[in-house]
Structures are given as C-alpha cells and as structure tokens.
Amino acid sequence: YANADIVYIVYNKGNPNDETALPTKFFESIISGVPVIVSKDSLLEKTVKKYDIGFSVDGTNEKDIESLIKKIQDNREILEQKRKNIEKIKNKFVWEDVVKNLEEIYK
C-alpha cells in the first residue's frame, strides 16, 4: 500500500454479497491512507462518498473506468485531498472496532 496511489476495490455488480461487502482491502487502504475506487451502488460507495475518501465506478463500463483514471491523472491534487480526508476518519475504521459489531449482530 505504501507504493500505491489508489486501490481498486470493484466487485461483481448484481451479487448481493459483493454489493454489501466490506472487504479487508478497504480497511487496509484506510489504515494506510490510500484512496480507493469502489463499485457504484454498493455499501462501500456510500461510505466512500460520505467521507470523500475515494471514487466509484461501474466496473462493467470501460468508459466509466477510463474517464475516472483520466480525471485522476489530470488532477493529481484530488488524491491528496482524499488522503487528507482519510487521515481525519482513519480511527473509525480500525478492524478490531468494526468486528465488535459482529458480536451484536450474531446474538
């Protein structure tokens, strides 16, 4: 993660598991301070938008992905702003705190 500008976390559209997943890669990116690209219409997209810590794309649409990559290449300071936003919320996404919710869910 230290060598990455951004992490691509786009999963299959239409799969309920993928649309509601909070993958380990997401938490690792947050703790590492690296912005993310996630799937549109997913639980991750809601979180990414809420905190302004990355981007969302339709992973089945090459033009959408290409357009986003071009936007980032042409406007590199946008990544710096996302990194600053990650720093502000990093402590909310410590895995040990997140899994505590699982105990309540499974009771």
Side-chain angles (χ1 to χ4, degrees):
Y1 291 90
N3 295 324
D5 290 327
I6 198 158
V7 175
Y8 190 78
I9 312 172
V10 176
Y11 293 107
N12 298 329
K13 199 171 191 172
N15 180 328
N17 284 339
D18 292 338
E19 291 172 2
T20 59
L22 289 174
T24 304
K25 196 184 319 185
F26 174 72
F27 294 99
E28 292 170 345
S29 298
I30 298 305
I31 295 304
S32 301
V34 180
V36 295
I37 299 174
V38 300
S39 301
K40 283 186 178 174
D41 302 321
S42 67
L43 179 61
L44 278 179
E45 180 187 37
K46 291 176 186 170
T47 304
V48 166
K49 283 186 172 184
K50 178 179 179 180
Y51 296 109
D52 192 24
I53 57 173
F55 311 90
S56 62
V57 295
D58 176 351
T60 64
N61 184 329
E62 290 179 33
K63 295 277 187 209
D64 196 26
I65 298 166
E66 182 181 345
S67 174
L68 175 60
I69 298 299
K70 179 144 179 50
K71 175 183 172 182
I72 294 168
Q73 285 177 329
D74 293 345
N75 188 10
R76 300 283 296 168
E77 58 273 2
I78 198 169
L79 289 177
E80 188 54 38
Q81 183 56 53
K82 305 293 184 194
R83 286 186 195 100
K84 287 178 182 176
N85 293 340
I86 291 169
E87 285 302 315
K88 293 176 191 174
I89 57 101
K90 187 182 276 193
N91 292 331
K92 293 182 182 204
F93 292 92
V94 176
W95 182 249
E96 288 79 9
D97 292 340
V98 172
V99 294
K100 286 179 186 174
N101 294 330
L102 294 177
E103 292 175 14
E104 293 302 315
I105 291 169
Y106 287 110
K107 283 185 179 178

